Amino acid sequence: MRTRGTKTARPWLWRGAAGIFVLILLELPFILYATGFGAEGMLASLGITGLGEASHLLRDGAPATNIAMFLHMGLGGLLSLLAPLQLSGALRRCRPRLHRGLGRVIVPLALTTSVAGLAYILLRGTIGGSLMDLGFGLYGLLLGLAAIMTWRFARAGDFQRHRAWALRLIVLALASWIYRLHYTFWTLATGGLYSRPDFTGLFDQIQLFAFYLPYLALLELYLRLRPAPSLTPPR
Ligand code: HEM
């Protein structure tokens, strides 16, 4: 009989690992953009170098909000890279210490990304105005909440709830990339219909919530339809 965790189950585990590898490859251009822009912006915010191109995100005389913005990009890029690795059953079963170690990196990354993004929204506000503040603000709050709950239930040894919150955290960690994907596909399909440079077009306004809420809803459906496998804590 084929059971998970035995030698015969390994092809299944490694197929999952291959899927995660492909996902990360697809994400890579965005991750490189976010971490590169974040690092360049941090140097510019500290007055060490300038920005290659002018950006509304770097404002003279506002070092705190500049730093918050570019810090969230760099750390958020790392978060988008590392979070999908936690989906790997192979990693959880064969390298449980690595799974736990990665978790200890991912939770603070998510919290710092969330807090820095929220600080920027509160102190300066987004380019798109109050609706964009609301869409991105809710996104940041949910990311922070998912990080705290994932950590909390892991510490409590409640691995059913830990799994559910960790999956929410991963969806939210991928959502910033999904936001850019939506724009890429929409621009290819329509040439950018109902989208404006200040993000006030109808498409932009739908996007403010559509990059994370529908995916969270789908995940909730998945969590209800597919009973969670009985989980044993990683040792
Ligand atoms: C999950 C990882 C995240 C990554 C990789 C990321 C990356 C980025 C990047 C690269 C930009 C600049 C886009 C551009 O101008 O080209 C940006 C903008 C922004 N992000 Fe994030 N982000 C993440 C999460 C978040 C979260 C959780 C929040 C909310 C708390 C947030 C709030 C913002 C805001 C407010 C802007 C500026 C919008 C404007 O132009 O006014 N981000 N992000």
Side-chain angles (χ1 to χ4, degrees):
M1 196 171 97
R2 287 165 68 93
T3 50
R4 285 181 189 168
T6 65
K7 277 190 175 177
T8 50
R10 277 192 181 155
W12 177 84
L13 289 175
W14 292 111
R15 266 203 302 280
I20 293 163
F21 181 68
V22 171
L23 175 65
I24 291 176
L25 271 188
L26 292 173
E27 269 193 287
L28 210 53
F30 171 64
I31 290 168
L32 291 175
Y33 170 70
T35 49
F37 193 14
E40 198 190 342
M42 279 302 277
L43 292 176
S45 307
L46 298 169
I48 298 170
T49 57
L51 264 191
E53 270 179 48
S55 167
H56 69 281
L57 299 172
L58 184 71
R59 191 178 285 179
D60 284 343
T65 45
N66 289 340
I67 287 172
M69 175 43 58
F70 292 110
L71 185 71
H72 111 278
M73 275 183 216
L75 299 184
L78 287 179
L79 172 69
S80 313
L81 173 72
L82 296 179
L85 294 174
Q86 297 293 65
L87 287 171
S88 167
L91 191 84
R92 283 196 309 272
R93 285 177 179 79
C94 309
R95 296 278 182 273
R97 279 189 179 189
L98 189 55
H99 173 78
R100 280 205 304 267
L102 267 176
R104 287 189 187 112
V105 175
I106 288 169
V107 167
L109 275 180
L111 282 174
T112 322
T113 303
S114 159
V115 169
L118 288 170
Y120 179 88
I121 294 169
L122 286 173
L123 293 171
R124 191 183 297 176
T126 60
I127 189 171
S130 39
L131 195 62
M132 193 172 191
D133 290 354
L134 184 67
F136 279 28
L138 178 62
Y139 170 50
L141 286 174
L142 289 174
L143 181 70
L145 176 71
I148 291 169
M149 299 304 253
T150 302
W151 172 79
R152 193 185 141 202
F153 288 121
R155 297 284 301 164
D158 183 342
F159 289 94
Q160 302 285 343
R161 282 194 239 186
H162 167 68
R163 170 180 173 268
W165 279 103
L167 288 173
R168 291 174 191 127
L169 176 58
I170 293 169
V171 166
L172 289 163
L174 292 174
S176 283
W177 167 62
I178 293 171
Y179 179 83
R180 273 77 185 177
L181 268 191
H182 285 185
Y183 270 95
T184 306
F185 289 135
W186 182 254
T187 308
L188 287 174
T190 69
L193 201 64
Y194 302 120
S195 176
R196 294 203 193 142
D198 62 356
F199 298 94
T200 54
L202 179 63
F203 176 76
D204 304 311
Q205 294 188 334
I206 293 171
Q207 279 319 295
L208 297 176
F209 302 91
F211 71 102
Y212 60 99
L213 287 184
Y215 299 99
L216 285 178
L218 281 176
L219 173 63
E220 293 311 311
L221 202 65
Y222 170 81
L223 289 171
R224 273 152 194 75
L225 291 180
R226 283 246 349 224
S230 61
L231 296 172
T232 47
R235 294 189 193 289

